[in-house]
Amino acid sequence: MLLERRAFAAAAMALWPAAWAVASSSDDAIRVGKNVQVSRAHDRIAHNEVLLAADPADAGRLLGCSMAFDPQRNKTFTIVYSSSDGGQTWSPTLETANMEFSGDPACALGKNRRAYYMALGWQDDGKVVDPIYRSGDSGATWSAPLLLHSFHGLDREYLSVDNTGGKFDGRVYAHATGWARPMEGSRQAADISLFTSRDGGASFLGPVKRTSVGKRYVLGVGNSVVLSDGSVVMIFGEVNRYWNDEGDEGDVPASTAEKANGTLEVLTSSDGGESLETASSVSDFHMLWPPLATSMIASLAVDPGSTAFKDRLYAVWPDQRSGRQEILLAHSEDKGKSWSKPIVVNDDAPGAPPGRDHLMPTVAANKDGIVAVAWYDRRDNPDNLGWWVRLRASRDGGETFLPSVRVSEAPSAYGASDQWTVLANATGGGKKPPAAGPDAKPAGGPIAVTLALNGFQFNGGHTGGMAAGADGRFHPFWIDNRTGIAQLWTAAVTVPGAAVKNGSAELALLDDVSDAIELRTLATDYDRKSNRLSVKVRLKNTSNQTLQGPLKLRLIDLSSQLGQPRAENSDNGISGSGAVWTIGGGAAGGSLGPGQESSDQELTFRISDLTSFRDEKTIRYLFASFRARVLGKRVPPKEAPKP
């Protein structure tokens, strides 16, 4: 649903936080390898909810994990799959079918072929168990599990390993949603619980916790990453108001275009897991609950050490602020303390069929500084239930993106031939329920039986997977039902080149001097026959330093309410994000002294696929909206002569 704007200015500002990032590039195209069916050994069992890990030193070694449902046994459990040839072939190496129920798989790879796996579940007697398995051969074989002890169970856990070679090298981290009880009353507060192993997963300390207070509630915990200094960063969602006034009932309120129902945040431990710092906000979070046909969990990645963007953090998440679910991205240059304004990554035009939701975003950064985002995309699925997997990549630290490509060779689609799995569940009577979570109830009462579709039928689970291998290739890990039942797939994706500051070798030598520049908009012109739009701009140096020219104006994003905008006269031929204009005038070489102005520069755009100005009660005003940086060099003032 399109949002009603009360004024032109309000509409312009509202588009900026989630600007549609139009990208064009003349560089080599993204190359997608052949799709590989990871779960071929279990091709009669429905899979969902996946994660993937890559060996930091060996490009051949990958470790994937998934939930699975076997209707013949009416059992949900988890499976680990291992590959030693870069994802070309896979073998199942571990199952947790010995438990009555098991889910939320998590896997990680460390140095020296060490591997770790964790799942959550309960046994036949209702006892909650949180087993962690270890492997010394990249997941080919596994030790007996260590049972991680936690108060009242955990929910949606993740594993990460410090592979930095620093003071915390080799530490293993497990974090999840936990629970805490107040001094009095029945309310349980949700928290982030962090466990730490200093002996390669043989034992764990903790947890250390940060708890949602008041009426807030942790919901939608994502993964963690480790920075080069050994800091571990975790991403999660927090509902702004969950509990009622009495504190005995909770529910997730609906979000609106004007008001988010949650916040996306990160927590950091910089002392090897001994404590957690204060949470930092990434963005407002417009989450959909319950996510029966969408998703709600964010994904986090860190640049592992490229020259241009070492330790830059990237967060992606599914967000409803536009009236449909889209994929947003923000980045942090200061280890998660502050974050950029979010941009929209999915590149279907704003005039695309209304209501198409995208879901399950994952993000990874490779050794060359390239960041890739993959997601389940519904632009080509009229029922808004099926999906194709698409991927976009950025070579400039997540500011602009190459056009998306299809990764999956076939869609996940729903019709007459695909197999729908039905889950049977019985509660009450003498059956003891698991003593976990805020809604746990004692045994007793009449017996109740439910027969329902697998809750992950139309979204593939709560998580997707992607990892960057040691050779720089990306490995999306996803679910689709092309064989008639939900199966696990992957493909190797190559993004040529390497990341570079400001998007090119020429611009990498320049600095962002936008904070010293006032951009003045002068004459505008719009031709209705050709839908050509132009604006003349002029730059003014508002600082007390000389800015060495030539100055470059570089678009970060470009969007429109009325169609697809394209820059027509950029110097580098790019028509969207990344378009560059050279601004002349001022002193020799285009330099601007303090208070000096440039010559005028005309920016020309064309709007294609123009839509109606009116949609029911909504009037669309904006032909084009963009953000830009001015790049140049600061010339420090001359020092005063010494007496």
Side-chain angles (χ1 to χ4, degrees):
M1 181 184 297
L2 294 172
L3 308 178
E4 184 174 359
R5 315 296 188 192
R6 296 182 179 178
F8 177 86
M13 293 303 294
L15 281 179
W16 277 24
W20 175 50
V22 184
S24 177
S25 174
S26 59
D27 295 334
D28 293 340
I30 297 172
R31 299 191 294 271
V32 179
K34 183 180 179 180
N35 287 190
V36 176
Q37 186 177 358
V38 176
S39 53
R40 183 180 295 275
H42 293 291
D43 60 0
R44 300 295 181 183
I45 297 176
H47 287 60
N48 49 65
E49 191 147 320
V50 303
L51 288 175
L52 181 69
D55 189 298
D58 187 341
R61 299 194 177 277
L62 300 169
L63 189 69
C65 50
S66 174
M67 288 178 63
F69 175 70
D70 183 355
Q72 297 301 314
R73 293 182 287 172
N74 191 41
K75 180 177 283 292
T76 300
F77 58 103
T78 70
I79 306 175
V80 179
Y81 293 93
S82 177
S83 174
S84 60
D85 56 10
Q88 298 179 57
T89 60
W90 294 82
S91 299
T93 62
L94 177 65
E95 296 183 8
T96 57
N98 59 311
M99 289 184 274
E100 180 180 355
F101 170 90
S102 181
D104 291 355
C107 49
L109 285 169
K111 293 187 293 188
N112 301 319
R113 302 185 66 184
R114 293 179 179 175
Y116 306 91
Y117 180 68
M118 184 177 182
L120 305 182
W122 57 80
Q123 299 173 342
D124 292 341
D125 60 1
K127 182 179 180 181
V128 177
V129 291
D130 304 316
I132 296 181
Y133 303 81
R134 295 185 296 157
S135 171
D137 53 15
S138 300
T141 61
W142 297 90
S143 65
L146 166 74
L147 296 183
L148 190 67
H149 296 288
S150 61
F151 166 75
H152 228 63
L154 300 171
D155 190 22
R156 190 52 271 183
E157 86 299 352
Y158 297 85
L159 295 169
S160 58
V161 184
D162 188 323
N163 295 311
T164 64
K167 57 183 176 180
F168 304 127
D169 187 58
R171 291 197 180 184
V172 183
Y173 300 101
H175 81 278
T177 303
W179 317 100
R181 283 179 175 168
M183 289 292 184
E184 56 187 30
S186 59
R187 177 193 297 181
Q188 293 192 74
D191 63 47
I192 300 296
S193 294
L194 174 65
F195 300 82
T196 304
S197 174
R198 300 179 182 178
D199 53 14
S203 63
F204 279 81
L205 302 174
V208 294
K209 294 172 172 277
R210 284 281 184 169
T211 302
S212 284
V213 297
K215 296 183 178 181
R216 302 201 302 270
Y217 190 83
V218 171
L219 184 64
V221 175
N223 64 309
S224 63
V225 296
V226 180
L227 307 184
S228 63
D229 65 357
S231 297
V232 57
V233 185
M234 297 148 278
I235 193 165
F236 65 98
E238 188 176 36
V239 179
N240 294 335
R241 181 186 174 93
Y242 177 82
W243 296 105
N244 63 7
D245 291 338
E246 291 73 29
D248 55 1
E249 293 184 7
D251 195 14
V252 179
S255 70
T256 65
E258 295 77 19
K259 187 176 181 180
N261 57 357
T263 307
L264 187 66
E265 302 173 63
V266 293
L267 271 176
T268 299
S269 174
S270 57
D271 55 9
E274 294 185 11
S275 66
L276 289 170
E277 299 170 9
T278 301
S280 299
S281 174
V282 176
S283 171
D284 289 342
F285 194 177
H286 297 247
M287 67 173 70
L288 181 65
W289 181 262
L292 298 180
T294 57
S295 63
M296 54 163 286
I297 291 180
S299 176
L300 188 66
V302 64
D303 186 295
S306 72
T307 301
F309 301 112
K310 179 181 179 180
D311 277 339
R312 178 173 286 201
L313 287 165
Y314 302 95
V316 297
W317 67 99
D319 193 278
Q320 295 274 330
R321 69 186 63 191
S322 69
R324 63 179 179 131
Q325 187 160 278
E326 299 192 274
I327 309 304
L328 270 58
L329 175 142
H331 68 264
S332 173
E333 302 176 34
D334 56 8
K335 301 181 180 181
K337 296 180 178 62
S338 62
W339 293 80
S340 67
K341 289 182 179 294
I343 63 170
V344 174
V345 178
N346 52 279
D347 54 351
D348 48 338
R356 301 288 171 84
D357 295 311
H358 307 310
L359 63 156
M360 212 66 71
T362 56
V363 61
N366 72 6
K367 64 182 182 61
D368 299 312
I370 296 173
V371 58
V373 179
W375 69 94
Y376 295 2
D377 188 286
R378 285 176 167 154
R379 72 185 68 182
D380 298 318
N381 296 81
D383 62 2
N384 205 26
L385 288 176
W387 60 77
W388 295 78
V389 177
R390 299 188 77 92
L391 179 144
R392 293 190 80 181
S394 171
R395 295 193 184 105
D396 61 1
E399 286 203 332
T400 66
F401 279 81
L402 302 173
S404 70
V405 296
R406 275 185 179 174
V407 175
S408 54
E409 296 168 354
S412 195
Y414 299 94
S417 60
D418 53 299
Q419 180 177 337
W420 289 19
T421 55
V422 175
L423 174 67
N425 187 48
T427 58
K431 183 178 181 180
K432 185 177 181 181
D439 301 320
K441 296 178 174 62
I447 295 173
V449 177
T450 59
L451 299 168
L453 280 178
N454 186 328
F456 294 150
Q457 183 77 30
F458 299 119
N459 63 10
H462 287 149
T463 58
M466 183 165 62
D471 58 357
R473 291 191 302 172
F474 295 95
H475 299 272
F477 214 55
W478 74 90
I479 298 294
D480 71 48
N481 66 355
R482 72 183 74 176
T483 65
I485 192 169
Q487 288 282 285
L488 180 54
W489 296 83
T490 191
V493 179
T494 302
V495 183
V500 60
K501 179 182 174 184
N502 297 323
S504 71
E506 175 192 5
L507 299 180
L509 301 175
L510 304 180
D511 300 320
D512 181 1
V513 297
S514 305
D515 61 347
I517 288 292
E518 175 190 353
L519 186 146
R520 298 180 59 193
T521 53
L522 306 173
T524 63
D525 182 69
Y526 174 62
D527 182 79
R528 292 185 60 185
K529 291 184 179 180
S530 64
N531 289 324
R532 179 181 178 274
L533 174 69
S534 66
V535 57
K536 286 185 178 180
V537 300
R538 184 184 302 165
L539 305 182
K540 180 179 180 179
N541 182 357
T542 57
S543 73
N544 61 0
Q545 292 181 301
T546 295
L547 303 178
Q548 180 180 321
L551 299 179
K552 307 283 186 176
L553 182 73
R554 182 173 189 260
L555 291 191
I556 298 174
D557 54 49
L558 175 64
S559 62
S560 172
Q561 284 185 323
L562 296 167
Q564 182 170 339
R566 300 176 63 85
E568 289 210 320
N569 67 334
S570 66
D571 295 345
N572 58 358
I574 293 178
S575 60
S577 302
V580 175
W581 289 266
T582 301
I583 310 296
S591 296
L592 296 182
Q596 196 170 17
E597 295 185 349
S598 72
S599 57
D600 298 347
Q601 172 68 50
E602 184 176 63
L603 313 181
T604 303
F605 305 92
R606 192 178 301 274
I607 316 298
S608 61
D609 303 321
L610 198 67
T611 60
S612 172
F613 287 87
R614 180 160 185 164
D615 177 59
E616 297 181 352
K617 296 182 180 180
T618 299
I619 302 294
R620 305 185 183 100
Y621 292 94
L622 281 175
F623 281 107
S625 175
F626 65 84
R627 289 186 298 162
R629 297 189 190 279
V630 178
L631 307 176
K633 282 287 187 181
R634 303 176 195 267
V635 180
K638 295 182 179 179
E639 295 183 2
K642 296 181 179 179

